[in-house]
Amino acid sequence: AIMLVACCILTYMAVWMHKRAKAETDHAKAQLQSLITAGNVIGIAMLAIVSVLREGIETALFLSALAYGGTKLSITGGLVGLALGIGLVWLLISGTRRVPLHLFFRYSSLLLIVIAAGLLGSAVNTLQGVGVFPGPTAPLFDISSVLADNSGVGIFLRGLFGYNSSPTPPQFGLWAAYLVVAVIVWWRGYARKA
């Protein structure tokens, strides 16, 4: 269930980024500017705390979904992810003037859609494993000889995108249907803005 909730939240975030990113960014800048002008240090601190808290809740939900999906979380992986996150923030802060933020939001919303599709596929796989989700449980295909999902790159792909080298027909079908519909909606939304 937590994977389905995480899938819904990630889908919502992708849609929200598409519809509201510019307005929310402009609003946050205006709000921050008014707090700075007024010298309201507590207001600035509260704005930062609420922003970080919201992101922290989303991260905890995402990591919970990964853990329930059978992905082994490790301290090393967490530290590497933290280091990559810090590096990304540094790049964004140092390159904000050079990288158009609308492109950043556009493609990070697409990444959220792909991650949400993986969570949906993993949720279907888990629910079928416990006998709650109907449908055939025999694998639709098995490409584990090419890229196994339990070692090396396959573990990374399974953890981040819900990769499964031997999905069931319902798992693959729902994953593909969600991905196709969500990417079409994403594409049309940005094509309209252009």
Side-chain angles (χ1 to χ4, degrees), residues 31-32 34-37 39-50:
Q31 188 178 16
L32 187 57
S34 70
L35 291 172
I36 289 170
T37 303
N40 189 344
V41 176
I42 292 175
I44 294 170
M46 290 305 296
L47 181 63
I49 288 169
V50 169

Side-chain angles (χ1 to χ4, degrees), residues 77-168:
L79 292 174
V80 168
L82 180 63
L84 288 173
I86 290 170
L88 179 62
V89 167
W90 180 81
L91 283 172
L92 284 172
I93 290 172
S94 66
T96 300
R97 306 249 188 268
R98 293 181 297 262
V99 175
L101 285 179
H102 72 280
L103 288 177
F104 172 77
F105 282 117
R106 175 184 292 185
Y107 292 107
S108 32
S109 67
L110 181 60
L111 178 63
L112 288 178
I113 288 170
V114 173
I115 292 170
L119 285 171
L120 177 61
S122 294
V124 170
N125 187 33
T126 301
L127 291 172
Q128 278 195 296
V130 295
V132 174
F133 197 92
T137 56
L140 179 63
F141 54 82
D142 187 350
I143 58 171
S144 57
S145 61
V146 177
L147 181 61
D149 60 14
N150 59 0
S151 64
V153 175
I155 290 175
F156 173 76
L157 294 174
R158 184 178 189 108
L160 190 58
F161 301 114
Y163 170 72
N164 187 340
S165 58
S166 55
T168 65

